[in-house]
Amino acid sequence: MSQTHTVRLLPWSRPDGKPCYLSSDNSDGYLWQLADNMEAIQLSMATELIAHANEVLSAPKATHEEVRYLANRLVESLSDTLRVAKSRGERLQASAPDSKGDEEGEGGDGPSLPAEAFG
């Protein structure tokens, strides 16, 4: 059980479209786990939608309506996926040790690796 107080962007919005946040000291709590499950579902659905998009876009007789519907679902899925990425990025940044005063003076833009690490 984590004892770090965290504000987490949740994978759903308020009815007015504004983001929802969870402020919690407990990453094992019900809402935290619900958010984890919802993120997993959203990412799984995105994977399935990509496979479906490949099928529709490779079909020579796909109608304009089918492609338009697909595009709308892809936009929804991409929005969900970006929200998951933002939420996870914020949590990674919050849990990272303070990198001010690093040797290269990069100002704490996250972890850095030497060029050799990329092959």
Side-chain angles (χ1 to χ4, degrees):
M1 183 158 99
S2 172
Q3 295 300 320
T4 304
H5 189 76
T6 302
V7 177
R8 176 184 180 167
L9 175 63
L10 294 171
W12 54 80
S13 299
R14 296 181 355 188
D16 62 3
K18 293 183 180 178
C20 289
Y21 290 89
L22 172 63
S23 178
S24 176
D25 293 332
N26 183 2
S27 63
D28 294 329
Y30 175 77
L31 283 178
W32 195 281
Q33 295 302 316
L34 182 64
D36 283 348
N37 291 339
M38 182 67 150
E39 286 181 353
I41 290 167
Q42 289 171 329
L43 295 176
S44 175
M45 290 174 62
T47 300
E48 292 175 21
L49 186 57
I50 289 170
H52 179 66
N54 285 325
E55 291 173 11
V56 169
L57 295 174
S58 66
K61 295 187 180 193
T63 67
H64 173 75
E65 290 80 15
E66 289 173 318
V67 174
R68 184 175 178 85
Y69 181 82
L70 173 63
N72 285 320
R73 300 301 69 80
L74 286 168
V75 167
E76 291 170 358
S77 183
L78 182 56
S79 296
D80 290 343
T81 302
L82 288 174
R83 182 186 302 267
V84 170
K86 181 177 180 185
S87 177
R88 292 181 180 185
E90 288 172 355
R91 286 182 278 149
L92 281 173
Q93 187 176 20
S95 67
D98 188 12
S99 58
K100 291 183 180 165
D102 60 337
E103 293 178 21
E104 297 184 30
E106 303 222 358
D109 289 339
S112 61
L113 295 171
E116 297 81 29
F118 299 99

